[in-house]
Amino acid sequence: QAALTVNYIAARINGLWSNLDGGMDAVVRKVRVAPDGSVYAIGEFATAGGNAAACIAKWDGTGWSALGVGITSTGTPYVYDLAIAPNGDVYVTGDFTAAGGNAAANIAKWDGSSWSALGTGLTGGVGNALANDPDGTVFVGGEFTAAGGSPASCIAAWDGSAWAALGAGLTRDTSPSCRALVIAPDG
């Protein structure tokens, strides 16, 4: 295969490298595959495949599509992680103020057709990491001090309707933060 120009993302398909419709115009932070085989990419980009796609895009095997108007912010939006629930809902977290044009404090959900906030979201800092368990609970870690308006030190869980802190959360002498999460097979 001849040299291929890629822009922040590439894939090997049927033994050949592809630039996936021209890729993105800026950093891609994470890529995840949904149960239906769709591929979601998040990051700091404004376009995917030459089309507007604010910080998140979906690859259907032939091209990129935006998820509504995507993720925006009063400053520069950043999306740091995404998780895909068993039912196909896509959760994103990072440093942003809106999803799909609606207020969303650092965490939001795409249900396949529209964005929604998760309560009042995360405050006092950003979300860095997401994981979900088979029952649909979404866990988020980051640098925040509250989830849904209640104290939560850097880690919390969303059950689909309300936030809960995980015990006393995470602490350390300076700048507590959670940057990665994983759920063990036993929960």
Side-chain angles (χ1 to χ4, degrees):
Q1 180 176 2
L4 178 70
T5 300
V6 297
N7 293 306
Y8 300 97
I9 192 165
R12 191 155 169 89
I13 302 171
N14 298 323
L16 298 173
W17 283 102
S18 168
N19 68 6
L20 297 179
D21 197 23
M24 279 62 163
D25 68 337
V27 174
V28 173
R29 288 191 176 272
K30 299 271 172 86
V31 177
R32 299 271 194 265
V33 179
D36 69 359
S38 298
V39 176
Y40 292 87
I42 54 113
E44 300 164 23
F45 51 87
T47 65
N51 301 309
C55 299
I56 185 165
K58 177 182 175 183
W59 175 258
D60 66 6
T62 60
W64 291 104
S65 61
L67 280 65
V69 297
I71 304 299
T72 56
S73 183
T74 54
T76 302
Y78 295 98
V79 180
Y80 296 129
D81 204 1
L82 78 154
I84 302 171
N87 69 356
D89 287 347
V90 177
Y91 293 86
V92 296
T93 194
D95 186 2
F96 54 86
T97 57
N102 303 311
N106 302 320
I107 191 162
K109 177 181 83 168
W110 172 259
D111 67 6
S113 61
S114 64
W115 286 101
S116 60
L118 278 61
T120 58
L122 309 174
T123 54
V126 301
N128 292 324
L130 287 168
N132 56 289
D133 66 14
D135 75 1
T137 301
V138 177
F139 296 87
V140 60
E143 300 164 20
F144 52 89
T145 57
S150 297
S153 184
C154 302
I155 192 163
W158 172 259
D159 69 4
S161 60
W163 285 102
L166 274 65
L170 306 174
T171 59
R172 72 177 207 202
D173 292 342
T174 60
S175 303
S177 178
C178 174
R179 300 211 180 251
L181 290 172
V182 66
I183 308 251
D186 64 1

